Amino acid sequence: MTDVFPVHIDAERCTGCGLCVAACPADTLELKAERATIATPACMACGHCAALCPTGAITVTAPRNAPLAFRTLATPEQWLPHGRFDLGALVQLMRSRRSCRNYTDAPVSRALLDDLVKIGTTAPSGTNSQGWSFTILPERAGVVILGEAVADYFRRLNRLASRPLLRHLLAWCGKPALEQYYRRHYATTTKALAEWDEEGRDRLFHGATAVILIGGRNTASCPAEDALLASQNILLAAHAMGLGSCLIGFAVEAMRREPQIAARLGIPAGETIYSVIALGWPAHRYQRLTGRRPIEPRWFPPSR
Ligand SMILES: Cc1cc2nc3c(=O)[nH]c(=O)nc-3n(C[C@H](O)[C@H](O)[C@H](O)COP(=O)(O)O)c2cc1C
């Protein structure tokens, strides 16, 4: 719902075809006397009605429906009909995106980062809430500040995890998380922290020169899903721009456990960070694609 009602219908141009009524996900519109009219003030401002109207009789003016002005790319301001895209090229892009763990020192321009965020916002969101947030760290210095804060968290966690009695006591009380962390990650994080402290080797962000953190307002209807869908858009677009990218789950985990890390970056308390994306110019070039584990989907009803 929006405060100011976003849909305007020009009754003169409306032919009463009903396409807008059929497409509206919130039953906002109805046909009355062979004209589209507003039936209820519930509106998601998704813009489907305006996009479908053959005579351009509907306008949707809402902040959630503002045009996207890209700075580094040109894209036709036209809807691409179903089936009119080179699927093979799309799948090649998806398969070619790899997690990049080796970056050059060259910075990523603010214009590219800005466009990546806009591309992120073309993702679907629950009830079109677009309740996501994007925090951009455009310089290596900012990435290092975040890296230090995350490293501090893991230093403290490793101190706890190095105490066998505490791990076993917690597991015995039905809290096995510390024991599980010890088994899965303690050795590698200990090594990574030592390499960071002694050699300045960045095993967390892999030397990335920029980071985008994607979060969601805790009051949005599906903040985690929204943020992760926007993230995948960004990962694919980054590859198309020539950038390398990598999701950094260790940073997400640290930020989930220690809200002060987010506060340090100016992220307000009412938001949760769901994805942290390292970005930069890749220092390597793959020679070939790799595969994926074969998947046996479940069919219902089962095929005979
Ligand atoms: C939720 C999530 C968290 C991840 N966290 C990390 C991370 O902290 N560090 C890292 O180097 N890679 C991380 N990755 C990247 C995965 O290791 C990678 O996607 C996987 O090995 C498949 O390789 P590909 O991305 O090159 O296809 C993460 C991926 C996902 C989906």
Side-chain angles (χ1 to χ4, degrees), residues 94-101 203-206 228 235 245-252 274-276 286 290-292:
M94 290 168 165
R95 296 186 70 197
S96 300
R97 176 223 55 82
R98 302 308 314 265
S99 294
C100 180
R101 299 187 180 87
R203 296 288 293 268
L204 180 66
F205 289 116
H206 312 293
L228 294 173
L235 298 179
S245 66
C246 189
L247 287 165
I248 308 297
F250 280 104
V252 174
Y274 296 102
S275 111
V276 175
Y286 291 106
T290 53
R292 281 286 192 253

Side-chain angles (χ1 to χ4, degrees), residues 47-125:
H48 280 254
C49 52
L52 275 168
C53 180
T55 61
I58 305 180
T59 44
V60 177
T61 44
R64 278 189 275 171
N65 209 24
L68 287 167
F70 295 107
R71 295 166 67 185
T72 64
L73 65 130
T75 177
E77 196 59 33
Q78 255 178 358
W79 181 67
L80 187 68
H82 295 112
R84 290 273 184 83
F85 190 76
D86 184 344
L87 177 61
L90 176 64
V91 175
Q92 187 186 21
L93 172 67
M94 290 168 165
R95 296 186 70 197
S96 300
R97 176 223 55 82
R98 302 308 314 265
S99 294
C100 180
R101 299 187 180 87
N102 194 4
Y103 298 92
T104 73
D105 295 338
V108 182
S109 75
R110 287 174 183 248
L112 279 178
L113 293 166
D114 198 42
D115 278 354
L116 278 175
V117 166
K118 286 181 189 138
I119 292 166
T121 67
T122 63
S125 64

Side-chain angles (χ1 to χ4, degrees), residues 141-159:
V143 178
V144 170
I145 289 172
L146 175 57
E148 274 295 355
V150 172
D152 276 346
Y153 164 76
F154 280 103
R155 276 187 201 103
R156 281 192 293 278
L157 184 61
N158 279 11
R159 274 200 290 278

